[in-house]
Amino acid sequence: GESVGLHLPTLSVQEGDNSIINCAYSNSASDYFIWYKQESGKGPQFIIDIRSNMDKRQGQRVTVLLNKTVKHLSLQIAATQPGDSAVYFCAENIGTYKYIFGTGTRLKVLA
Amino acid sequence: GAGVSQSPSNKVTEKGKDVELRCDPISGHTALYWYRQSLGQGLEFLIYFQGNSAPDKSGLPSDRFSAERTGGSVSTLTIQRTQQEDSAVYLCASSRDRTSNQPQHFGDGTRLSIL
């Protein structure tokens, strides 16, 4: 299928290495954040979320870090696999139902 | 269970024609969103439905765009007199309810191409 975001920043990592994808969010009042993974021709897939009262949250092979002081969010993927190749983007919750979405980073896993 | 389903997956049409896009949310999800995704852009909010409340239409780019949600479930997004700049992927998402801190679950989108 056709890829979205052909001119996105790209992160290339060797298979088995750890990946770190960063996101600068815009609103200091945002209190909930989500990371999504989007494969070519597919819709965004929920990976992990974090609330503003936390600095870190871990899932299976993924960790999200939140630095509210500098409005920065990161997604760490341990032991990156070929199936992790996709576009990753963050979302911040600015109200009860509205979100702002980042443009994303393309992750390429090198064999 | 089944995820969010969108149809058609691809739509090619001539400029000036009307198109209708369909979204079936996850069963039991009361909140439904439509977004537009263009190349290299973040998701652009279009419209939000929550239960029987009046929808938030603040993101619709022009009066050529409209959406409805029948029976609190299936939603259709209609674009009248399509223009080439309407070409994009249209994504639908649903979430359990209107409270904050609810992840949205997305369908795979409708890829709309206007010739």
Side-chain angles (χ1 to χ4, degrees):
Chain A
E2 179 185 338
S3 296
V4 295
L6 295 180
H7 303 291
L8 296 172
T10 298
L11 174 67
S12 296
V13 297
Q14 207 68 36
E15 181 179 355
D17 286 352
N18 297 334
S19 303
I20 299 176
I21 300 170
N22 297 304
C23 175
Y25 64 91
S26 60
N27 193 327
S28 57
S30 294
D31 62 359
Y32 178 59
F33 306 87
I34 304 174
W35 277 103
Y36 286 96
K37 171 186 181 182
Q38 188 171 23
E39 296 175 276
S40 181
K42 299 288 188 182
Q45 176 188 357
F46 171 85
I47 301 174
I48 192 168
D49 58 1
I50 188 168
R51 297 178 184 174
S52 60
N53 61 352
M54 302 171 70
D55 297 323
K56 178 180 179 179
R57 188 163 188 226
Q58 289 184 295
Q60 188 176 10
R61 272 201 316 118
V62 294
T63 301
V64 55
L65 298 177
L66 175 62
N67 185 329
K68 295 180 287 293
T69 302
V70 294
K71 294 191 288 185
H72 184 267
L73 197 65
S74 68
L75 176 71
Q76 300 178 1
I77 304 173
T80 312
Q81 302 170 0
D84 295 328
S85 292
V87 173
Y88 291 81
F89 58 90
C90 63
E92 60 181 297
N93 182 251
I94 59 171
T96 55
Y97 59 85
K98 279 197 171 176
Y99 287 80
I100 294 176
F101 294 86
T103 54
T105 296
R106 183 179 304 282
L107 177 65
K108 286 188 176 179
V109 181
L110 308 173
Chain B
V4 176
S5 177
Q6 291 188 246
S7 61
S9 54
N10 287 280
K11 177 72 176 178
V12 180
T13 192
E14 293 180 346
K15 176 182 171 182
K17 300 286 188 183
D18 297 352
V19 295
E20 193 171 277
L21 313 180
R22 177 188 168 102
C23 172
D24 273 285
I26 293 173
S27 178
H29 280 195
T30 61
L32 186 147
Y33 303 74
W34 283 98
Y35 295 94
R36 181 165 68 177
Q37 187 176 40
S38 302
L39 285 176
Q41 305 294 318
L43 272 66
E44 176 190 3
F45 168 81
L46 297 178
I47 190 169
Y48 165 77
F49 294 92
Q50 170 57 46
N52 295 319
S53 302
D56 178 351
K57 304 179 181 181
S58 61
L60 295 178
S62 77
D63 59 7
R64 295 186 295 105
F65 288 71
S66 63
E68 63 177 21
R69 188 179 186 191
T70 53
S73 180
V74 171
S75 177
T76 54
L77 175 68
T78 302
I79 308 173
Q80 296 178 306
R81 305 181 302 283
T82 52
Q83 303 294 312
Q84 288 186 331
E85 60 263 28
D86 299 335
S87 296
V89 176
Y90 289 82
L91 290 163
C92 176
S94 69
S95 63
R96 190 160 51 87
D97 55 42
R98 69 163 292 157
T99 58
S100 59
N101 300 349
Q102 290 287 331
Q104 298 173 42
H105 300 271
F106 286 84
D108 285 338
T110 294
R111 186 163 286 100
L112 178 64
S113 300
I114 309 299
L115 303 179

